[in-house]
Structure formats: C-alpha cells, structure tokens
Amino acid sequence: MEVINNLQDNLDLIRMEILNDNLVIFPTETVYGLGANALSERAVNKIFEVKTRALNNPLIVHLKDKSEITKYAYISNDVEQKLIDNFMPGPFTLILKKKDIIPSCVSAGLDTVGIRIPIDDIAHEFLEGVGVPIAAPSANISSRPSGTKVLDIKGEFENKVNYIIDGGESKIGLESTVVKVIDNIPTILRPGFITYEDIKSLIGSCNISNHVLNMVKDNEHVESPGILYRHYAPKTKCLLVYSSDLNKLKELINNNKTKKTIILGSNKLNDINCYKYLNYGNTVSQIAHNIFSKLRECDKLNGDLIIIEGVKKEGLGLAIMNRLIRTSNFNYIEL
Ligand code: TXA
Ligand code: MG
C-alpha cells in the first residue's frame, strides 16, 4: 500500500484508481473511509469483500457538495431540508429516499441511502477530484475499532488496497451522526459530534433510537442495520464502568480488576494500582479523538482485561458511550 502525502500531485492517479473500480482509503473529519465508486456495483462489492462486512449493512454515500444531493436522493420535507442547510457539510449523515441511480448493493436493498458531505479539506479535494459519488464505510476490518490514523489502518489493509491518502489524525475521531426523519421528527440512529442537543434546538424535537444504548432484542425492527454487529472491539475482553462519584468508580474498578487489567481512562484514575494504565484524554472531545487508537494500543499490552472509564451520556458523551457499550459487548456496570 502506498501512502499519498500530497493529493494535489497525485489526483490523476487516484481518479484512475477509483474509475478502475479499486478502493482508496481517504481521510475525513470523523474517521478514515474505505472508498469506492458508488455508481459501480463491482467497486462497491469490493468494499464488502475487503472489509468482510455483512451484505445487509448499507453504506454511506459521500458527495462533494450540497448541490449533488438531489442527483442521488429525494429531499422529501422541510425538516430534511433544514438539517441539510444547518449540518452539511460536516460530521452528519442524513438517510434519504434513494434514487434508482444508486445501485441497491450500496443501500443493502433498502429504499433509502445515507448521504454525507465531509467538511475536511482533503476529503473535499478527493471527492471533487474523482468526480463520482463515493460509497465508504469506516476504514477498519468489520468489528474492529475504526481507523483514525494511517499507521493503525495500514496493517489491516496491506495488499488489499493500493492507496491511502494521509490526512493526519482524524480531528473528531468518532463516526458521523446518522439521522433519519421519521414522521417529521429527526431520529438519531447513531450519535456523533452533531449532538441530540444541537438537533433538538434547531428542529424543536429529536428522538434517539432505542438501539443507541440498548441491545437489539430478537425479532425487533432495526432502523440501522449497522447496530446489529459486534463493533469497535479490541481483541482483549473489555468492561465498561461508570459512576459520577469518583469513590464509587474506583471501588467498581478495584472489585472487578484481574491480575493483568489495563485501565483506560482519564487522569483521575492514574493512581489506581493495576497492571497498566493508559490515559485516553480528560475532556469528551479528547476522548472522542483518541479512543479508537487507544483501544488498538491496549491490545498490544498483553493484558487479560481492559477496564474502560465511561462518561456522562450527554452531548458528545452519548456518542462515546454508544461506541464503548459495543466495544465492551454490553459488559457494562453503572453505579
Ligand atoms: O463518519 C462516518 O460516517 C464514516 C466516514 C468514513 O464517513 N463512515 C462510517 O460508515 O462510519 P460505516 O459504514 O462504518 O457506518 C455507517 C452506518 C451503519 O451503522 C449503517 O447501518 C448506517 O450508517 N446506514 C447507512 N445507510 C443506511 C440506511 N440507508 N438506513 C439506515 N442506516 C444506514
Ligand atoms: Mg464502521
């Protein structure tokens, strides 16, 4: 795999790679994407193959600007229009009714398609340069933490993808907020940097899908198929713990730690006696930025358990907890 450091000088090469139905890994403000020409079934199928992704899990289509949206999807009401006007371009994906030009493998057979317009400069240059819409999931093998820096991603896709465009560390570090308007009310299917509070104050109402924090029960209807799968997970077993009371939090950790427990948390836990301690940042934006890379780092430390400090489920904290609950496979204690 070749790392492209200067996209401007290599745009022709990258354009040809995409138009030849090959995959290119590119940076965005959220996480890196594993991109293919969204209009080519052959190219899109390669994403599912290389990522070992379930075929019923739809992909997001990335566009260069807002004027492109109605080429590929229908804007059906004022709420959708308002969300587009306010949150795009940015770390926001809107599920819209799809037009036929998008192959059904992109949307996994659904009649909707997720549309996202990244705000990152290099992502924009890439999308403008290739001239086609780009279907892209996060750049990680299915079930693993999403890729937020070139070094974390490279090993996973070596010999499978020819080019990765280097954009440094992803600024936000968590995937986009995924929203679908249902009966005129925006519904968050996956929380992200654009928060419940942001959407509610714009539209006046906002729902959060049950599955953001809860496990899917048998036979339950799922709006967002991505939620069905094990996700964001290191190889080492994880336990997520949360308490707003520091003494209780420490007690929880001490009662559950093993001989080789790695603690992944903020500064306030750095004095607990354990096998290894890793700081993941001390504010929610630092935690979002670092979390996926730190989880990968934990895997290299040869521990037998990772105890992860949870955060309050508000603002960006809701997105962090949505990911960490899945990281720990619902192995979660709150006191
Ligand atoms: O920030 C992001 O969104 C990153 C970057 C690369 O843009 N992409 C990303 O893609 O996270 P992926 O494939 O890892 O996650 C897409 C999520 C999945 O949970 C999927 O089920 C949901 O969006 N999704 C996509 N299309 C959908 C649709 N038509 N209806 C409901 N959910 C959809
Ligand atoms: Mg993903």
Coordinates of all heavy atoms in Angstrom, one line a residue, residues 195-236:
T195 N -24.8 16.8 18.0 CA -25.5 16.1 19.2 C -27.0 16.2 19.1 O -27.6 17.0 18.4 CB -25.0 16.7 20.5 OG1 -25.4 18.1 20.5 CG2 -23.5 16.6 20.6
Y196 N -27.6 15.3 20.0 CA -29.1 15.4 20.2 C -29.5 16.9 20.6 O -30.4 17.4 20.0 CB -29.4 14.5 21.4 CG -30.7 14.7 22.0 CD1 -31.9 14.1 21.5 CD2 -30.9 15.5 23.2 CE1 -33.1 14.3 22.0 CE2 -32.1 15.7 23.7 CZ -33.3 15.1 23.2 OH -34.5 15.3 23.7
E197 N -28.7 17.5 21.4 CA -29.0 18.9 21.9 C -29.0 19.8 20.7 O -29.8 20.7 20.5 CB -28.0 19.3 23.0 CG -28.1 18.6 24.3 CD -27.4 17.2 24.4 OE1 -26.8 16.7 23.3 OE2 -27.4 16.6 25.4
D198 N -28.0 19.7 19.8 CA -27.9 20.5 18.6 C -29.1 20.4 17.7 O -29.7 21.4 17.2 CB -26.7 20.1 17.7 CG -25.3 20.3 18.4 OD1 -25.2 21.2 19.2 OD2 -24.3 19.6 18.0
I199 N -29.5 19.1 17.5 CA -30.7 18.9 16.6 C -32.0 19.3 17.2 O -32.8 20.0 16.6 CB -30.7 17.4 16.2 CG1 -29.4 16.9 15.5 CG2 -32.0 17.0 15.4 CD1 -29.2 15.5 15.3
K200 N -32.1 19.1 18.5 CA -33.3 19.5 19.2 C -33.5 21.0 19.2 O -34.6 21.5 19.0 CB -33.3 18.9 20.6 CG -34.4 19.4 21.5 CD -35.1 18.3 22.2 CE -36.4 18.9 22.7 NZ -37.0 18.1 23.8
S201 N -32.4 21.7 19.4 CA -32.5 23.2 19.4 C -32.8 23.7 18.0 O -33.4 24.8 17.9 CB -31.3 23.8 20.1 OG -30.2 23.8 19.3
L202 N -32.4 23.0 17.0 CA -32.7 23.5 15.6 C -34.2 23.2 15.2 O -34.9 24.1 14.7 CB -31.7 22.9 14.6 CG -32.0 23.2 13.2 CD1 -31.6 24.6 12.9 CD2 -31.2 22.2 12.3
I203 N -34.6 22.0 15.4 CA -35.9 21.5 14.9 C -37.0 21.6 15.9 O -38.2 21.7 15.6 CB -35.7 20.0 14.4 CG1 -34.6 19.9 13.4 CG2 -37.0 19.5 13.8 CD1 -34.8 20.5 12.1
G204 N -36.6 21.6 17.2 CA -37.6 21.6 18.3 C -38.0 20.2 18.8 O -38.5 20.1 19.9
S205 N -37.7 19.2 18.0 CA -37.9 17.8 18.5 C -36.8 17.0 18.0 O -36.2 17.3 17.0 CB -39.2 17.3 18.0 OG -39.2 17.3 16.6
C206 N -36.5 15.9 18.7 CA -35.5 14.9 18.3 C -35.7 13.6 19.1 O -35.8 13.7 20.3 CB -34.1 15.5 18.5 SG -32.8 14.4 17.9
N207 N -35.7 12.5 18.4 CA -35.7 11.2 19.1 C -34.4 10.5 19.0 O -33.6 10.8 18.1 CB -36.8 10.3 18.5 CG -38.2 10.8 18.8 OD1 -38.4 11.5 19.8 ND2 -39.1 10.5 17.9
I208 N -34.2 9.6 19.9 CA -32.9 8.8 19.9 C -33.4 7.3 19.7 O -34.2 6.9 20.5 CB -32.1 9.0 21.1 CG1 -31.7 10.5 21.3 CG2 -30.9 8.1 21.1 CD1 -31.0 10.7 22.6
S209 N -32.9 6.7 18.7 CA -33.3 5.3 18.6 C -32.9 4.5 19.8 O -31.9 4.7 20.4 CB -32.5 4.7 17.3 OG -32.5 3.3 17.4
N210 N -33.8 3.6 20.2 CA -33.6 2.7 21.3 C -32.3 2.0 21.3 O -31.7 1.6 22.3 CB -34.7 1.5 21.2 CG -35.8 1.8 22.1 OD1 -35.7 2.7 23.0 ND2 -37.0 1.2 21.8
H211 N -31.9 1.7 20.1 CA -30.7 0.8 19.9 C -29.4 1.6 20.1 O -28.3 1.0 20.1 CB -30.7 0.1 18.6 CG -31.9 -0.7 18.4 ND1 -32.7 -0.8 17.3 CD2 -32.5 -1.5 19.3 CE1 -33.7 -1.6 17.5 NE2 -33.7 -2.1 18.7
V212 N -29.4 2.9 20.3 CA -28.2 3.6 20.5 C -27.5 3.1 21.8 O -26.3 3.0 21.8 CB -28.5 5.1 20.6 CG1 -27.4 5.9 21.3 CG2 -28.8 5.7 19.2
L213 N -28.3 2.8 22.8 CA -27.6 2.4 24.1 C -28.1 0.9 24.5 O -27.5 0.4 25.4 CB -27.9 3.3 25.2 CG -27.4 4.7 25.1 CD1 -27.9 5.7 26.2 CD2 -25.8 4.7 25.1
N214 N -29.0 0.4 23.8 CA -29.5 -0.9 24.2 C -29.3 -2.0 23.1 O -29.2 -1.7 22.0 CB -31.0 -0.9 24.5 CG -31.3 0.1 25.6 OD1 -30.7 0.0 26.7 ND2 -32.2 1.1 25.4
M215 N -29.2 -3.2 23.6 CA -29.0 -4.4 22.7 C -30.3 -4.6 21.9 O -31.4 -4.3 22.4 CB -28.7 -5.6 23.6 CG -27.9 -6.6 22.9 SD -27.7 -8.1 23.9 CE -26.7 -7.5 25.2
V216 N -30.2 -5.1 20.7 CA -31.3 -5.4 19.8 C -31.9 -6.7 20.3 O -31.2 -7.7 20.5 CB -30.9 -5.5 18.4 CG1 -32.1 -5.9 17.5 CG2 -30.3 -4.2 17.9
K217 N -33.2 -6.7 20.6 CA -33.9 -8.0 21.0 C -34.3 -8.8 19.8 O -34.4 -8.2 18.7 CB -35.1 -7.6 21.9 CG -34.7 -6.8 23.1 CD -35.9 -6.9 24.1 CE -35.7 -5.9 25.2 NZ -36.3 -4.5 24.9
D218 N -34.5 -10.1 20.0 CA -34.9 -10.9 18.9 C -36.1 -10.4 18.2 O -37.0 -10.0 18.8 CB -35.2 -12.3 19.4 CG -33.9 -13.1 19.8 OD1 -32.8 -12.6 19.4 OD2 -34.0 -14.1 20.4
N219 N -36.1 -10.4 16.9 CA -37.2 -10.0 16.0 C -37.6 -8.6 16.1 O -38.7 -8.2 15.7 CB -38.5 -10.9 16.4 CG -38.2 -12.3 16.2 OD1 -37.5 -12.7 15.2 ND2 -38.7 -13.2 17.0
E220 N -36.8 -7.7 16.8 CA -37.1 -6.3 16.9 C -36.8 -5.6 15.5 O -35.8 -6.0 14.9 CB -36.3 -5.7 18.0 CG -37.0 -4.6 18.7 CD -36.1 -4.1 19.9 OE1 -35.0 -4.7 20.1 OE2 -36.4 -3.2 20.5
H221 N -37.6 -4.6 15.1 CA -37.3 -3.9 13.9 C -36.1 -3.0 14.1 O -35.9 -2.3 15.1 CB -38.5 -3.0 13.5 CG -38.1 -2.1 12.3 ND1 -37.9 -2.6 11.0 CD2 -37.9 -0.8 12.2 CE1 -37.6 -1.6 10.2 NE2 -37.6 -0.5 10.9
V222 N -35.1 -3.0 13.1 CA -33.9 -2.2 13.3 C -33.9 -1.2 12.2 O -33.9 -1.5 11.0 CB -32.7 -3.2 13.1 CG1 -31.4 -2.5 13.4 CG2 -32.8 -4.4 14.0
E223 N -33.8 0.1 12.5 CA -33.7 1.1 11.5 C -32.3 1.1 10.9 O -32.1 1.4 9.7 CB -33.9 2.5 12.1 CG -35.3 2.9 12.3 CD -36.1 3.1 11.0 OE1 -35.5 3.1 9.9 OE2 -37.4 3.1 11.1
S224 N -31.3 0.9 11.7 CA -29.9 1.0 11.2 C -29.2 -0.4 11.3 O -28.8 -0.7 12.4 CB -29.2 2.1 12.0 OG -27.9 2.2 11.5
P225 N -29.1 -1.1 10.2 CA -28.5 -2.5 10.4 C -27.1 -2.6 11.0 O -26.8 -3.6 11.6 CB -28.5 -2.9 8.9 CG -29.5 -2.1 8.2 CD -29.5 -0.8 8.9
G226 N -26.4 -1.5 10.9 CA -25.0 -1.5 11.5 C -25.0 -1.8 13.0 O -24.0 -2.3 13.5
I227 N -26.1 -1.5 13.6 CA -26.2 -1.7 15.1 C -26.3 -3.2 15.5 O -26.1 -3.5 16.6 CB -27.5 -0.9 15.5 CG1 -27.3 -0.1 16.8 CG2 -28.7 -1.8 15.6 CD1 -26.9 1.3 16.5
L228 N -26.5 -4.0 14.5 CA -26.7 -5.5 14.8 C -25.3 -6.2 15.1 O -25.3 -7.2 15.7 CB -27.3 -6.2 13.6 CG -28.8 -6.0 13.4 CD1 -29.2 -6.6 12.1 CD2 -29.6 -6.7 14.5
Y229 N -24.3 -5.6 14.7 CA -23.0 -6.3 14.7 C -22.1 -5.9 15.8 O -22.1 -4.8 16.2 CB -22.3 -6.2 13.3 CG -23.2 -6.7 12.2 CD1 -24.0 -5.8 11.4 CD2 -23.4 -8.0 12.0 CE1 -24.9 -6.3 10.5 CE2 -24.3 -8.5 11.1 CZ -25.0 -7.6 10.3 OH -25.9 -8.1 9.4
R230 N -21.2 -6.8 16.2 CA -20.1 -6.6 17.1 C -19.3 -5.5 16.5 O -19.0 -5.5 15.3 CB -19.3 -7.8 17.4 CG -18.1 -7.7 18.3 CD -18.3 -8.5 19.5 NE -17.1 -8.6 20.3 CZ -16.8 -7.7 21.2 NH1 -17.6 -6.7 21.5 NH2 -15.6 -7.8 21.9
H231 N -18.8 -4.5 17.3 CA -18.3 -3.3 16.7 C -17.2 -2.7 17.6 O -17.3 -2.9 18.8 CB -19.4 -2.3 16.6 CG -19.6 -1.7 15.3 ND1 -20.7 -1.6 14.6 CD2 -18.6 -1.1 14.5 CE1 -20.6 -1.0 13.5 NE2 -19.3 -0.7 13.3
Y232 N -16.3 -2.0 17.0 CA -15.4 -1.1 17.8 C -14.5 -1.9 18.8 O -14.1 -1.3 19.8 CB -16.1 0.0 18.5 CG -17.2 0.7 17.7 CD1 -18.5 0.6 18.1 CD2 -16.9 1.4 16.6 CE1 -19.6 1.2 17.4 CE2 -17.9 2.0 15.8 CZ -19.3 1.9 16.3 OH -20.3 2.5 15.5
A233 N -14.3 -3.2 18.5 CA -13.8 -4.0 19.6 C -12.3 -4.4 19.4 O -11.9 -4.8 18.4 CB -14.6 -5.3 19.6
P234 N -11.5 -4.2 20.5 CA -10.2 -4.8 20.5 C -10.3 -6.3 20.7 O -11.4 -6.8 20.9 CB -9.5 -4.1 21.8 CG -10.6 -3.7 22.6 CD -11.9 -3.5 21.8
K235 N -9.2 -7.0 20.7 CA -9.2 -8.4 20.8 C -9.3 -8.8 22.3 O -9.9 -9.8 22.7 CB -8.0 -9.1 20.2 CG -8.1 -8.9 18.7 CD -6.8 -9.3 18.0 CE -7.0 -9.0 16.5 NZ -5.8 -8.5 15.8
T236 N -8.8 -8.0 23.2 CA -8.8 -8.2 24.6 C -10.2 -8.0 25.2 O -10.9 -7.0 24.7 CB -7.8 -7.3 25.4 OG1 -6.6 -7.2 24.6 CG2 -7.6 -7.7 26.8

